[in-house]
Amino acid sequence: MVATSVVQHKTAPAYNYADSVWCTYIVSVAAACVAEVITYPLDLTKTRLQIQGEAASQATNGDKKLPHRGMVKTGLGIIREEGVSKLWRGVTPALYRHVVYSGCRIVTYEKIRASMSKNRDGTFPVWKSAISGVSSGALAQFLSSPADLVKVQIQMEGKRQLQGKAPRVHSPWHAFQKILSEGGIRGLWKGSIPNVQRAALVNLGDLTTYDTAKHLIISHTSLSDSHLTHVLSR
């Protein structure tokens, strides 16, 4: 009697495109861009309020007197004096920034987190989540600093307009060329240090809180790691 050996073949798990790096990157960028477009008028209004106060403090007797406006009046003033479309002035470089920043921070965070060991119960230590958040936020902001600078340059044109002066830049590409010609490659990262520090702290609170909240929801409820859990964790 010949003994036959039975070879058991394990079926490899199907590749899940939803968990791939590129899918995560694209979804993160798309979501951030939608949020940016919706909330951009508030960002522009904030910048106008900041430069309104700066322009008023630097104004001399010969300068054009600048009206003091609050948030609502500033937004309505932009619509009345420049048109509704100007509420999205500078949104293009803001979207360029998210192509780098949002995708990079999420993918980097997950990669750093995956490379670290978990607790015995499968949870992720808060301090490791914090390190992942700070590192991914700082790296993403550093890489996206040129687009951030171009966005601010275009938004700052509102100050010159309030003072009745001619614009210095006319488009994102023009602003990029101007920054590059005046400051070189290093000029594209002007002011990046405080921005990197801010992004590191923002992601420390954002990603760390999200990760911790998700693990608490999964461990203390009957919910699984689903879209609902992700929404509740936010």
Side-chain angles (χ1 to χ4, degrees):
M1 184 175 184
V2 181
T4 58
S5 60
V6 179
V7 180
Q8 295 182 347
H9 297 280
K10 293 184 178 180
T11 304
Y15 181 75
N16 189 354
Y17 289 96
D19 294 332
S20 65
V21 173
W22 287 112
C23 182
T24 302
Y25 196 100
I26 292 172
V27 171
S28 301
V29 170
C33 286
V34 171
E36 183 68 37
V37 171
I38 295 173
T39 61
Y40 190 79
L42 295 176
D43 189 12
L44 179 63
T45 302
K46 176 208 69 175
T47 303
R48 288 292 184 91
L49 286 171
Q50 291 174 332
I51 62 180
Q52 173 184 273
E54 181 184 348
S57 64
Q58 295 177 354
T60 60
N61 294 332
D63 290 334
K64 181 180 178 180
K65 187 177 180 180
L66 303 176
H68 178 74
R69 297 170 173 171
M71 183 186 71
V72 176
K73 287 186 176 180
T74 298
L76 293 176
I78 295 173
I79 295 174
R80 183 176 61 255
E81 298 164 7
E82 306 171 40
V84 177
S85 63
K86 295 303 181 181
L87 287 173
W88 283 269
R89 182 175 189 171
V91 71
T92 303
L95 297 179
Y96 291 160
R97 172 183 179 269
H98 279 297
V99 170
V100 178
Y101 175 76
S102 295
C104 182
R105 80 181 182 114
I106 298 299
V107 170
T108 304
Y109 176 78
E110 292 191 350
K111 288 296 183 182
I112 295 176
R113 185 182 60 179
S115 66
M116 295 183 174
S117 59
K118 296 182 179 181
N119 294 327
R120 292 183 177 180
D121 58 357
T123 60
F124 198 64
V126 176
W127 69 271
K128 290 185 178 181
S129 181
I131 292 176
S132 303
V134 168
S135 303
S136 59
L139 175 62
Q141 179 58 47
F142 178 79
L143 295 176
S144 62
S145 284
D148 212 9
L149 182 59
V150 170
K151 181 195 77 171
V152 174
Q153 287 280 334
I154 293 179
Q155 289 182 331
M156 287 294 289
E157 286 303 309
K159 174 181 176 179
R160 298 182 63 82
Q161 184 174 5
L162 289 172
Q163 294 176 328
K165 297 179 180 180
R168 291 175 295 184
V169 296
H170 304 283
S171 66
W173 179 244
H174 182 215
F176 177 82
Q177 289 180 314
K178 190 172 185 295
I179 296 170
L180 193 61
S181 63
E182 293 179 354
I185 296 295
R186 293 182 62 182
L188 293 172
W189 276 267
K190 184 178 181 180
S192 62
I193 294 179
N195 277 339
V196 167
Q197 293 173 337
R198 175 182 176 274
L201 294 176
V202 167
N203 283 275
L204 168 63
D206 183 10
L207 298 178
T208 303
T209 302
Y210 162 75
D211 217 11
T212 303
K214 186 178 73 173
H215 284 301
L216 288 174
I217 291 173
I218 293 175
S219 60
H220 291 82
T221 68
S222 59
L223 295 175
S224 61
D225 191 356
S226 61
H227 293 296
L228 177 60
T229 304
H230 295 178
V231 172
L232 293 176
S233 301
R234 287 295 182 184

